[in-house]
Amino acid sequence: MTTRAPKATKTSAKVKQKAAPARANVKPNGGGPLTIALPRGRILDEALVLFARAGIDLGAADKARAGRKLIIPIPAHDMKVLIVRDADVPAYVEGGAADLGIAGRDVLEEQDRDLYEPLDLGIGRCRMVVAEPEDHPVDEMAQIHLRYATKFPELTRRFLQARGVVAEIIKLYGSIEIAPLVGLADRIVDLVSSGETLRQHRLREVETIMEISARLCVGRAAAKLRSDRIDDLVARLRAVVKA
Ligand code: PRP
């Protein structure tokens, strides 16, 4: 495998400097509609509002209009929207199936793929926290074998390693809050937005690991081959985000 640093482009202002393997499956999408992968759910709703304010009407991708359609052409803007799971956005973009996408900082940092991240959109805000049962707090000095349940094993591993904590990490796919209530884990690392889920399960926050918001991510091939369109899109969205 060859490795090389990403070439600087206007969209590469925040490019990660790590070297990455060249990918045979990257399809240089030199023409055709600009394809964007959007995660279903709250980020999608907020993203559509942001795009509308930037003068790009992606309203056909709204769940109410799209129904179960997952590929939505937007001919008025020569674009195409792919509706995917949030954790799958980076794979579509890195693989070149989408030119760009929107994903949470949590997903992007957990997967740490070879993507440009030219703009934080300031939407989908939440926090990643460590939490534990109110009535069963961990005694870090006394408990030797700590178990952390999470959807984010890599971020959890890095967080614990930085603290010099040795613990077992249990990867789950959802409903993380119940893990310490039923004896599967001692603590959780999960996202908190309103705090309602923690409250309802009598969990208390121990520490915030990071503030989260959604970012635009751009594939390496797209940044090179479609830089004019992507730079224009980023500029429009940046103006709206700043405002
Ligand atoms: C997320 C997160 C928490 C909850 C936090 O779960 O993992 O469980 O939202 O929101 P709150 O602070 O406003 O209560 P999601 O809804 O994505 O479902 P999941 O448990 O299946 O991951």
Side-chain angles (χ1 to χ4, degrees), residues 127-138:
R127 290 174 300 125
M128 183 175 290
V129 306
V130 179
E132 64 187 12
E134 281 172 9
D135 58 2
H136 207 77
V138 164

Side-chain angles (χ1 to χ4, degrees), residues 151 173-177 190-198:
K151 276 189 280 193
Y173 293 86
S175 304
I176 311 298
E177 290 83 355
D190 200 13
L191 302 180
V192 174
S193 177
S194 66
E196 193 49 39
T197 315
L198 287 187

Side-chain angles (χ1 to χ4, degrees), residues 40 60-72 82-84:
R40 58 168 71 101
D62 189 285
K63 194 164 190 324
R65 282 172 63 187
R68 301 193 73 83
K69 234 172 126 183
L70 302 174
I71 301 178
I72 298 116
L82 309 182
I83 303 293
V84 302

